Amino acid sequence: MTWFSYWTEDRGFGIVADFGRSRLRIVCKEADCRAELFNGRVRLVEDKPHRWAYHYGRAVLRHVHEHKTTLSELVNRALARLRKLDEYFVSKGYKPLVLFSGGKDSLVVLDLCYRYFGSDLYVAYIHIPGNTHEECDYYVLCTVERYLGSLRRFYYLYRTEPIRLGGLGIELSPDEFDKLLVYTSLAIHPRDIRARKCMVYYKVEVMRQVPRHFVFVSGARASDGLWRTLYMQQMHDGMFKSPVHKHWTLELICDWSKEAVLEYIKLNNLKPNPLYEKINHSGNCMICPAYFSSVEKILLYMNKLERYYPHWYRKVLDFMRQYMQYHRERVKCNLPCSKCPYLRDKNRYVYAKRIGIVLELLDNSIVKYLQKS
């Protein structure tokens, strides 16, 4: 059992996490208000008037915002981490391997490592068969070649072994990513929303095959969310040995904010992935549970795909229909999601309700368009 506590005395918030049980408790000392996050579900244990303690993540994020530093200090701190990495690992035979996904965070990490190591570093990119945009692959290849001068130190990684779902008795090929998300559906168990099986199958298991003499340099940031904040507080200045893929890993910009990353890219005239201007992300994963956080975000994402990449629009739409068909077979329900009795229940069938409502809206818009024409 691993316990970790984090306090912001000026706000009166306390956060205690038990990672062994996936349990998180939030205590507001001033208002005597306590909320509890158990397996992804928030429960207000003591309902006092100050219900703003219910928004548990703002405690940490607000503390980070109030204690933010300048960009020059963040850069100096990152270079100091690379200096420690060079002293304690590279000098002992380890080789730095930058995990470059094509996103803005990993672009900053690659530029910082190039400023310190020059071209004497390695770069790894994980391609997701059947789910990575072709323009993201091209951008990564061009960027790595521009930094390193060649692709001899570049590792293009992807899964080649079939995926076996023992509980369902199904074997999938690596390029059947959409079917994997359908079968490992979160519609039945919404509390396991943080456990992304796709990341385990396509990234973690691939990284385990990388030789142990490589030390990973990654670009995950604590400000991305509460769970990353709590997770990274256990590191020693961004350095830790991952219990998942068994490699030493340095989170180089763990204390950076999103604004600092954008400012660094602008000041150093870096060229971000052009997919950000079209679909607002790098395109490394076109179908991702993170994009389905609300009906509005799904509709906005689908509109952008329909405008710029119709083939991906059809692919995502086909995935959502397979998803709903599998969900209806499991729960044995034929009602429209907009009339579902569980619509007001925020803890049951979260993704299924969102995707179902989006499909209803898209189908109705098509019917209305045909009637007008």
Side-chain angles (χ1 to χ4, degrees):
M1 183 182 298
T2 304
W3 284 90
F4 167 76
S5 61
Y6 183 91
W7 291 94
T8 57
E9 297 293 343
D10 55 340
R11 294 288 178 180
F13 278 95
I15 295 177
V16 180
D18 175 6
F19 290 95
R21 299 178 183 175
S22 299
R23 182 180 289 253
L24 178 72
R25 289 193 182 95
I26 299 91
V27 180
C28 178
K29 296 189 296 183
E30 296 177 354
D32 191 22
C33 184
R34 188 156 60 96
E36 189 177 82
L37 179 68
F38 182 66
N39 288 339
R41 181 180 179 184
V42 180
R43 297 183 297 183
L44 201 61
V45 181
E46 296 179 16
D47 191 0
K48 297 296 182 180
H50 298 272
R51 291 186 60 89
W52 42 264
Y54 188 83
H55 302 282
Y56 54 92
R58 297 185 181 181
V60 175
L61 299 181
R62 194 176 299 163
H63 177 77
V64 172
H65 179 73
E66 292 177 354
H67 296 80
K68 63 182 180 180
T69 55
T70 62
L71 181 61
S72 60
E73 293 175 347
L74 292 174
V75 172
N76 292 334
R77 196 180 301 171
L79 294 176
R81 293 184 182 127
L82 291 175
R83 197 174 298 112
K84 291 181 181 180
L85 177 70
D86 191 9
E87 179 180 354
Y88 292 104
F89 288 92
V90 179
S91 61
K92 297 179 181 179
Y94 286 86
K95 299 178 181 179
L97 181 67
V98 178
L99 301 179
F100 185 49
S101 64
K104 294 180 180 179
D105 296 337
S106 57
L107 177 61
V108 172
V109 171
L110 178 61
D111 189 76
L112 289 171
C113 291
Y114 179 77
R115 289 174 61 177
Y116 184 85
F117 292 107
S119 59
D120 191 17
L121 57 88
Y122 294 80
V123 180
Y125 169 71
I126 300 179
H127 171 84
I128 312 298
N131 197 38
T132 297
H133 201 287
E134 53 276 6
E135 290 188 14
C136 182
D137 289 345
Y138 180 74
Y139 167 77
V140 169
L141 292 173
C142 295
T143 304
V144 173
E145 189 174 9
R146 185 171 66 251
Y147 273 97
L148 302 184
S150 66
L151 298 177
R152 290 180 296 176
R153 294 174 178 261
F154 175 67
Y155 289 90
Y156 187 86
L157 307 176
Y158 56 93
R159 185 184 179 99
T160 57
E161 301 83 5
I163 300 173
R164 296 178 178 86
L165 303 178
L168 300 175
I170 298 175
E171 181 174 311
L172 301 174
S173 61
D175 57 345
E176 293 180 315
F177 183 87
D178 51 350
K179 292 185 179 180
L180 174 69
L181 286 186
V182 170
Y183 290 131
T184 60
S185 172
L186 299 177
I188 311 301
H189 303 288
R191 295 184 181 183
D192 299 332
I193 199 171
R194 300 184 311 277
R196 297 181 185 175
K197 297 295 184 181
C198 52
M199 183 178 294
V200 175
Y201 288 124
Y202 283 93
K203 290 193 175 182
V204 174
E205 293 186 0
V206 172
M207 288 191 290
R208 286 175 183 170
Q209 302 177 7
V210 177
R212 293 290 186 268
H213 63 271
F214 283 107
V215 54
F216 293 160
V217 185
S218 178
R221 295 183 292 107
S223 59
D224 285 341
L226 175 66
W227 287 104
R228 282 195 176 184
T229 303
L230 296 173
Y231 176 61
M232 292 183 182
Q233 290 291 335
Q234 301 185 34
M235 303 176 184
H236 180 68
D237 195 20
M239 196 72 193
F240 72 107
K241 188 171 184 179
S242 175
V244 180
H245 49 71
K246 309 300 181 182
H247 282 82
W248 282 100
T249 304
L250 172 62
E251 301 294 353
L252 187 59
I253 57 173
C254 59
D255 52 349
W256 288 43
S257 63
K258 182 179 180 180
E259 292 76 15
V261 171
L262 298 176
E263 184 180 358
Y264 183 90
I265 293 175
K266 183 178 180 180
L267 291 177
N268 292 274
N269 295 323
L270 303 183
K271 296 181 180 179
N273 195 325
L275 288 174
Y276 276 100
E277 299 180 357
K278 300 178 180 178
I279 57 177
N280 290 337
H281 64 88
S282 63
N284 187 246
C285 283
M286 296 296 292
I287 305 174
C288 180
Y291 307 153
F292 301 105
S293 57
S294 66
V295 175
E296 292 77 11
K297 290 185 178 180
I298 300 176
L299 289 174
L300 181 62
Y301 183 54
M302 295 299 292
N303 289 335
K304 291 181 178 180
L305 289 180
E306 187 179 16
R307 178 181 179 184
Y308 294 106
Y309 305 105
H311 62 290
W312 280 106
Y313 171 81
R314 292 190 293 268
K315 190 170 184 177
V316 176
L317 189 63
D318 183 59
F319 155 73
M320 291 195 296
R321 287 172 176 166
Q322 292 183 46
Y323 187 98
M324 288 306 302
Q325 182 180 0
Y326 181 74
H327 167 71
R328 294 184 185 280
E329 292 175 357
R330 292 291 298 270
V331 301
K332 299 179 181 180
C333 176
N334 294 321
L335 290 175
C337 289
S338 58
K339 299 180 180 179
C340 181
Y342 298 109
L343 187 62
R344 295 184 179 181
D345 190 350
K346 298 181 180 180
N347 299 309
R348 297 196 65 178
Y349 315 130
V350 181
Y351 275 82
K353 286 186 291 188
R354 295 170 185 167
I355 294 177
I357 292 174
V358 168
L359 289 177
E360 290 179 26
L361 293 173
L362 292 177
D363 292 340
N364 291 335
S365 63
I366 293 174
V367 170
K368 291 180 181 178
Y369 176 78
L370 293 176
Q371 289 177 352
K372 289 182 180 180
S373 60

